[in-house]
């Protein structure tokens, strides 16, 4: 991760054994030497170079690395000096102009990054879709980095005005093509809410690669059609990112959401951009990066206000409140919740975008419940969590989340039997889902109740969870 480099002794790169490993591109040996001389674990090395611990372990065990992109990532994460880079067969940093793992020009080209054309945004997105469909190892092993959201958010505010999105391709693109993408997105969004992100995530990636890529890369469209096309594509790309997030593929989710934001910027769609920034905040807070969650939520607020979408600004304020609550900043949390309520009182929802339909009273109550639960304010949390269950039954995953929240509140308040009964309802719904987040909430509840397992109701619930989800390892 860019802000998590290893502290490598300078003389390590000049050691004979390290130079030999670099010269033969034996990255497994490079990792072993790093571990020996820095004391870093496989997890720590993986965090530095942006790879999952399991992938690092396989490399150390003998897996060969030939991808230039992986080698660049290792070199950057370890801050290799230019002599070591060249021994590895890479260009020296001062001469290099490559792309980072999101398809963006390298760090030394900050001006180029800020002035990326919409065609570059499209090319980077299509490369992501292709890599996802082809299950490239590097893409699958990418880890989440809170710093990875800094540049896209900054570019959102500082990039020049959007360029005309027009192209003379081989295939005419018209409104029916755009309507088809929107209908596909709506269908997959319904499936996501009903069955979880893992149900159709691969299908969405294939659709983007096989059906959308020819439209955006080889299509012929005028500026009006081009903007509408990129907006529709950005919305579907965001959904793919949300599905990956739900399945705990957090590095992949981050890349999808980043590209979705870039596409919405190219389309000059501030409303969708605000929604994507809010989704980024949601993920960052979920992973415990609360400062990033606050920053992204505030960026979403400003963008929503620019778009004239008061209800979306209210949603962003709720995201900010949740990040503050997770950081145990009660004062900031309650202030943000108060502002969210004020914004909702002023909102005219008659013109809400289709993708904002989920933001209703039940969703808002659930977020309030999460905030008060994180702050340890049990009675308020319970009241809002109970209210969140008065919801649209089509949101099966959302109901599983809300039941798990209510159960967790009762567990924390030393009501284990009640928590087990409500947790059992959440488990019934979770078994219908492919959602890592839903499983995590149940596992957290199971762990919290473990001290009460002598109680028959609790023991029965813990056993049911293990039977349905498999024994916890």
């Amino acid at each position: 991760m860019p802000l998590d480099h290893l502290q490598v002794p300078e003389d390590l790169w000049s050691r004979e054994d390290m130079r030999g490993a670099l010269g033969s591109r034996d990255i497994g040996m490079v990792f072993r030497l790093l571990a020996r001389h820095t004391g870093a674990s496989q997890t720590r090395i993986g965090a530095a170079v942006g790879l999952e611990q399991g992938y690092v372990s396989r490399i150390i065990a003998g897996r060969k690395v030939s991808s230039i992109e992986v080698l660049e990532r290792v070199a950057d994460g370890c801050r290799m000096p230019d002599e070591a880079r060249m021994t590895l067969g890479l260009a020296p940093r001062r001469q290099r102009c490559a792309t980072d793992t999101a398809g963006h020009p390298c760090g030394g080209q900050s001006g180029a990054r800020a002035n990326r054309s919409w065609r570059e945004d499209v090319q980077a997105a299509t490369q992501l879709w292709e890599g996802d469909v082809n299950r490239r190892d590097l893409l699958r092993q990418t880890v989440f980095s809170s710093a990875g959201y800094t540049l896209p958010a900054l570019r959102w505010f500082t990039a020049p005005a959007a360029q005309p999105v027009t192209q003379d391709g081989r295939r005419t693109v018209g409104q029916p093509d755009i309507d088809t993408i929107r209908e596909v997105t709506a269908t997959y969004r319904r499936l996501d809410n009903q069955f979880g992100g893992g149900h159709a995530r691969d299908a969405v990636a294939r659709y983007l690669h096989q059906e959308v890529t020819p439209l955006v890369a080889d299509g012929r469209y005028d500026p009006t059609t081009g903007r509408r096309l990129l907006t529709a594509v950005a919305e579907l790309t965001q959904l793919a990112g949300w599905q990956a997030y739900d399945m705990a593929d957090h590095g992949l989710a981050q890349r999808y959401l980043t590209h979705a934001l870039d596409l919405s910027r190219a389309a000059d769609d501030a409303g969708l951009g605000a929604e994507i920034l809010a989704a980024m905040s949601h993920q960052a807070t979920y992973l415990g990066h609360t400062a990033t969650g606050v920053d992204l939520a505030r960026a979403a607020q400003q963008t929503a206000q620019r778009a004239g979408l008061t209800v979306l600004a209210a949603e962003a304020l709720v995201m900010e409140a949740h990040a503050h609550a997770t950081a145990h900043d009660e004062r900031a949390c309650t202030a943000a919740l108060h502002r969210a309520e004020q914004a909702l009182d002023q909102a005219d929802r008659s013109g809400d975008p289709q993708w904002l339909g989920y933001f209703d009273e039940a969703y808002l109550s659930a977020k309030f419940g999460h905030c008060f639960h994180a702050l340890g304010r049990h009675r308020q949390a319970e009241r809002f969590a109970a209210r969140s269950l008065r919801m649209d039954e089509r949101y099966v995953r959302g109901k599983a989340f809300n039941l798990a929240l209510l159960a967790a509140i009762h567990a924390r308040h030393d009501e284990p039997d009640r928590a087990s009964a409500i947790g059992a309802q959440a488990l019934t719904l979770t078994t219908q889902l492919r959602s890592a987040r839903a499983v995590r909430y149940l596992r957290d509840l199971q762990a919290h109740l473990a001290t009460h397992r002598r109680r028959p109701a609790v023991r029965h619930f813990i056993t049911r969870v293990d039977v349905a989800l498999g024994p916890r390892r």
Side-chain angles (χ1 to χ4, degrees), residues 317-329:
L317 282 162
V318 172
M319 295 298 172
E320 180 185 346
H322 194 188
H324 286 310
T326 304
H328 307 294
D329 188 339

Side-chain angles (χ1 to χ4, degrees), residues 197-315:
H199 176 74
R201 203 202 73 74
D202 289 345
V204 172
R206 285 195 301 272
Y207 182 83
L208 284 166
H209 174 52
Q210 296 171 1
E211 304 296 334
V212 174
T213 292
L215 296 177
V216 295
D218 300 320
R220 182 168 65 253
Y221 35 83
D222 59 28
T224 299
T225 302
R227 282 198 310 274
R228 291 173 180 169
L229 174 63
L230 289 195
T231 292
V233 174
E235 186 181 341
L236 184 55
T237 303
Q238 180 214 12
L239 175 60
W242 191 258
Q243 291 173 316
Y245 166 30
D246 192 45
M247 289 305 295
D249 291 328
H250 292 295
L252 184 61
Q254 181 173 37
R255 294 187 63 174
Y256 266 102
L257 291 176
T258 296
H259 286 301
L261 185 67
D262 287 339
L263 291 171
S264 65
R265 177 179 55 82
D268 198 23
D269 191 325
L272 182 57
E275 173 71 0
I276 296 167
L277 286 164
M280 292 174 167
S281 172
H282 197 297
Q283 183 192 25
T285 297
Y286 177 83
L287 293 174
H289 300 276
T290 54
T292 299
V294 169
D295 289 342
L296 290 167
R298 288 174 174 169
Q301 291 165 44
Q302 294 181 31
T303 304
Q305 290 165 357
R306 188 176 78 194
L309 290 171
T310 306
V311 68
L312 190 50
E315 179 197 11

Side-chain angles (χ1 to χ4, degrees), residues 181-190 193 235-236 238-239 272 275 309 349-359 395:
I181 295 173
R182 291 192 180 283
E183 186 59 36
V184 167
T185 302
T187 298
Y188 281 128
R189 197 180 297 282
R190 287 193 294 271
N193 287 322
E235 186 181 341
L236 184 55
Q238 180 214 12
L239 175 60
L272 182 57
E275 173 71 0
L309 290 171
R349 305 212 58 180
S350 60
D352 281 2
Q354 178 270 336
W355 39 258
L356 199 53
Y358 68 89
F359 189 69
Y395 292 91

Side-chain angles (χ1 to χ4, degrees), residues 415-431:
E415 298 172 339
D417 289 352
R418 181 64 175 151
S420 297
I422 298 171
Q425 297 177 52
L427 177 62
T428 298
L429 295 181
T430 299
T431 57

